[in-house]
Amino acid sequence: MAMMGSSISKYLSISLIAVPSFILLLRFLAAFPLPPEDVAVYPSLASLPKDSRSWSIYPENFYEGGNYVRFPFGRVRYWLFGPEDGQKIVLVHGLSVPAIIWKDVAPQLAGKGFRVLVYDLYGRGYSDAPNMSYSGCLYTTQLALLMQHVHWERAHIGGGIATSFAATFPNLTTGKVALIASTGIMESSDLSRTSKVMSSPVVQYIASSGIVHFFLQRLGAGEPSPNPIHEIVRIQSAFLPGYNNALASSLRHGPLRGLQSSFTTLSELKSDLLLIWGTADNTVPYRYAAKIQGLVPNSTLLTVQGGHHDLTVSHPDIVANALINFFHSSK
Ligand SMILES: *[C@@H]1O[C@H](CO)[C@@H](O)[C@H](O)[C@H]1NC(C)=O
Ligand SMILES: *[C@@H]1O[C@H](CO)[C@@H](O)[C@H](O)[C@H]1NC(C)=O
Ligand SMILES: *[C@@H]1O[C@H](CO)[C@@H](O)[C@H](O)[C@H]1NC(C)=O
């Protein structure tokens, strides 16, 4: 009797402790659902049939030293070339065109003794497109992961996302940062009409829900273009299911705007900035160069008279020489 009584009270006290905590656990799980098993990942140019023009314009082995690495948010394509003991530099492409944009610049740097790392950002070229927000965080961690993968402790950096990367991971860079007509402090009034449409919540919804493609696919709907750069943009937009979302999300959440504080950080870190800008840039107008100089006094501006936004393609020698001189003058 006494034993039974004590075991009943034992059960009772266990259930008094266990049941409420079980309920609390359920409530907790309901309030903070476990993350979905996996973020959906859309395929890259690597998924296109071999007769797609992308394979002849921008093949997987466009540069030497190509490789894939699998990261938590998908597979990433990178190329590593130039003398192994050269100064390390990573070149990052911009919003819509993958690493092909460095076609006439990167080989010149390698030829001048630099060890060059180029890669495709998530959602572009041969890198997979995770179905998520294309924030500065996604981009900077992609590069940090890539640098640990290739065992680079620090490197010079030039191109897209260079500002947020150098401000977020100063110890992974040499403090020398080159920006080529970079976005970062764009005002929405200057984002082109398309970009404004693309970055609106409605189009975000359309792009991410996959209901309608026609809006964004206008980018990809045109005739095949004889211009290889335009053609790669068209093919990505028309045939890669994650590309339009990657662009739209980058415009909305990515490091195109709101980088004032990153520039201030670079200034406090005493970073050395090289700005290369065309006077006829109607994507990121030339006056932004002066704005950035206002934020980072230790910056040098190279003006390309009459240059448009695509300076690495239109003026590769000017860009390559400027990068070589800028980065050579350091340890
Ligand atoms: C992609 O993400 C959106 C927004 O989070 C979601 O509604 C959609 O179902 C996702 N698509 C896939 C294939 O998981
Ligand atoms: C970054 O580098 C600075 C200067 O070399 C050093 O003082 C600091 O401890 C480093 N920070 C980290 C997190 O390694
Ligand atoms: C400007 O950059 C040079 C070269 O990297 C550096 O030696 C100097 O300390 C920097 N000056 C300021 C004020 O940040």
Side-chain angles (χ1 to χ4, degrees), residues 38-42 130-132 204-205 207-210 245:
D38 275 310
V39 172
V41 173
Y42 296 109
N131 184 27
M132 60 195 301
Q204 270 289 300
Y205 169 75
S208 62
S209 66
N245 176 57

Side-chain angles (χ1 to χ4, degrees), residues 107 202 209 251 277:
V202 174
S209 66
L251 287 163
W277 231 285

Side-chain angles (χ1 to χ4, degrees), residues 88-101:
K88 299 179 178 69
I89 181 167
V90 50
L91 299 175
V92 192
H93 69 76
L95 181 69
S96 58
V97 184
I100 189 179
I101 202 79

Side-chain angles (χ1 to χ4, degrees), residues 175-176 267 269-272 298:
K176 290 204 149 207
S267 179
L269 290 166
K270 300 199 181 308
S271 302
D272 200 1
N298 207 10

